[in-house]
Amino acid sequence: MVAEQSPASRRNFLKSVGVAGGAGVMYSAMGALGLAPVPEVRADAYRAPQQSDFTLTGRGGGKTVLVLGGGIAGLATAYELGKAGYDCRILEAKDRPGGRNWTVRGGTTLTDLDGRRQTASFTKGQYINAGPARLPQSHVTLDYCRELGVELQVFTNQNANAYIYQENSAALANEPMRWRTAKADVYGYVSELLAKATDQGALDTRLTAQDKERLIPFLQSFGAIKGKADGYAYAGTNRRGYSVEPGAAFEDGTVLGPVPTLSDVIASGVGQRFSFELGYDQAMMMFQPVGGMDAIPNALAKAIGQSRITYGAKALEVKDLADGAEVTYKDAAGRTRTQRADFVVSAVPPMIMARLKHNLGTDITAALKYAVPTPVGKIGLEYRSRWWETDEQIYGGITPTDMDLATIWYPSYGYQGRRGTLVGYYNFGANALAYSALPHTERLARAVSQGVKIHGDKYRTELDHSFSVAWHRTPDIEAGWVSWPSQTGAEYKLLNQPAGHVYFAGDWLSHTIAWQHGAFTSARKVVTDIHERVLSA
Ligand code: PHE
């Protein structure tokens, strides 16, 4: 059929393929038509389909939308509606976009709700992502990074050389154990047990003779255990690591020992740490923007247009009107202003929205208050040397602990550099409250006194600068994230519908709370709802 077409209709065919599928598709269609390779025709570099080229069909031209809050949900709302021709404005209480997406660098300041003030004195190039810090491959956040030109690098969420440290376990307490060592022992002993039980017939009601025959080789490989003659014993292997590394000539290395007993390994509880890396959202690979997570809100704000964002705008009241909605706010100069739009999207945390004056009804207030704020804290520790790399061979990753600092994170950028910045605690709930109750210097002292137990004196002596964030004490934010007692009840449902001309958006209205993905997808849901309403009006 194609061969019978005239050159003109062939051109039209190619043009329509190009429009629908992009340059890469056009180029291969040309090959199918027998036209490629043509020397003067150059296809553009292949561009993968872009999930975040989220397109609304039909124009929202002329409709105005006022967005409350310039965090990821608010920014995504304005960005996507802007693509479809809506006239969007954002009111943001802070002097920057991003909300919890916040990168702390030298010069960054923070005044907590209690008035305690900090200025970061990190060296140039050093930073911590105080809020979101890791991006899974499945999240739409990566598609926005692609679309906005935000460069990514690997974020190491799991590292075999990082430690597990438990000071309260019934055995092996107070000994930092490499993640790889813990895994070798747990997998080894579990395999030994299962192989023995299988071999002795203890599982015969569950396993056929053939199952048993096939299970044993799996367990030998999974646990690196011995053969039948040795009772399938686990005796430790180089999976544990070395106390003397293998080297040149006759240096065959010394496997790290001694191997703790089965009973001690079970009592240590280290095996319970491995579920983390199996979590859908936490499994490697993970990513981070080069230079700081705030590259995402910065790129969104730029794409939206800085003139559309009013910073320092403290919302006072939201009013639904017969034919639109309006927001009254105090601007950066302290003047009270009212702005009207066809629609308002409230993309601020629920507990803050609940306190605003509004005419949306008491059931809305009750639903907003139904969300439970989670306290979350993080501290950045800048060191004069990267001793975790030079002395301990840890390049990125996380050490989980049972201390109230919860986790220590090694930086996934700046490897082999002179300086480096750890996350000295990242904790939630009671642990976050314990730290945030303290003045900054005492938060630091507490974090360091615990880190010393794992890493020794250099954890104190090499320290240069620090900065701590308590999200639940941060103005305009007031929590790390929220949780819902139920996401199937009336409260959650109510907030996922418009209240007149007022819509709600945020990660808190998603099933990926505490991820930017939740904020993006919630924004897209609201944007779609508004657009469908406009088109059907
Ligand atoms: N996304 C955040 C993080 O990865 C918060 C979170 C923690 C969310 C654990 C879900 C599970 O740290």
Side-chain angles (χ1 to χ4, degrees), residues 55-85:
T55 43
L56 303 167
T57 47
R59 310 297 283 174
K63 291 290 176 192
T64 55
V65 178
L66 188 56
V67 180
L68 212 53
I72 296 300
L75 291 167
T77 299
Y79 176 62
E80 295 296 359
L81 283 172
K83 286 184 191 171

Side-chain angles (χ1 to χ4, degrees), residues 102-386:
W102 190 40
T103 301
V104 175
R105 303 183 179 80
T108 302
T109 62
L110 174 64
T111 305
D112 282 356
L113 287 168
D114 53 25
R116 289 176 185 150
R117 189 178 161 80
Q118 277 175 106
T119 300
S121 48
F122 293 146
T123 306
K124 192 170 186 307
Q126 295 299 314
Y127 64 84
I128 58 158
N129 290 318
R134 46 187 167 197
L135 309 173
Q137 294 161 98
S138 56
H139 282 190
V140 75
T141 313
L142 292 196
D143 297 307
Y144 281 93
C145 290
R146 183 193 305 112
E147 181 167 311
L148 294 161
V150 172
E151 195 189 335
L152 298 176
Q153 61 189 188
V154 168
F155 173 86
T156 302
N157 205 34
Q158 201 277 325
N159 181 346
N161 262 11
Y163 298 108
I164 296 170
Y165 181 80
Q166 326 229 86
E167 61 178 13
N168 298 308
S169 52
L172 308 176
N174 303 310
E175 273 305 313
M177 196 187 297
R178 300 272 187 184
W179 195 277
R180 72 168 77 246
T181 311
K183 205 180 255 184
D185 292 347
V186 172
Y187 284 20
Y189 280 127
V190 167
S191 297
E192 176 185 328
L193 289 176
L194 190 46
K196 282 194 161 111
T198 302
D199 189 55
Q200 292 166 11
L203 298 169
D204 281 1
T205 57
R206 189 72 182 82
L207 299 172
T208 66
Q210 199 169 53
D211 290 340
K212 287 163 63 171
E213 226 168 81
R214 290 168 175 164
L215 185 58
I216 297 290
F218 161 73
L219 293 169
Q220 286 180 305
S221 134
F222 186 73
I225 52 175
K226 299 203 159 140
K228 187 174 169 68
D230 294 305
Y232 301 109
Y234 170 69
T237 70
N238 68 356
R239 290 183 186 180
R240 306 190 83 241
Y242 288 92
S243 50
V244 178
E245 294 284 328
F250 310 105
E251 180 52 84
D252 55 355
T254 306
V255 169
L256 185 67
V259 182
T261 64
L262 165 66
S263 175
D264 281 355
V265 169
I266 294 170
S268 76
V270 293
Q272 279 87 317
R273 294 292 179 182
F274 307 142
S275 60
F276 175 73
E277 70 192 51
L278 298 172
Y280 181 67
D281 287 331
Q282 300 289 359
M284 288 297 280
M285 302 295 288
M286 298 195 83
F287 292 88
Q288 65 184 4
V290 172
M293 192 60 77
D294 63 356
I296 296 173
N298 290 343
L300 282 167
K302 195 172 160 211
I304 292 162
Q306 291 289 359
S307 64
R308 294 186 172 277
I309 309 176
T310 304
Y311 294 105
K314 304 274 181 190
L316 299 171
E317 184 176 2
V318 176
K319 209 189 267 178
D320 183 45
L321 308 170
D323 57 349
E326 66 181 29
V327 175
T328 300
Y329 65 97
K330 201 180 274 261
D331 72 12
R335 282 183 298 258
T336 300
R337 297 181 180 275
T338 297
Q339 212 165 317
R340 191 205 163 281
D342 294 315
F343 302 101
V344 164
V345 177
S346 172
V348 299
M351 54 283 179
I352 292 179
M353 182 65 206
R355 287 201 309 264
L356 290 190
K357 197 174 164 201
H358 67 75
N359 67 344
L360 308 176
T362 52
D363 48 347
I364 291 278
T365 306
L368 289 163
K369 284 186 176 163
Y370 189 57
V372 183
T374 304
V376 176
K378 211 179 254 193
I379 193 167
L381 306 175
E382 183 185 332
Y383 286 91
R384 281 183 281 268
S385 65
R386 296 175 78 96

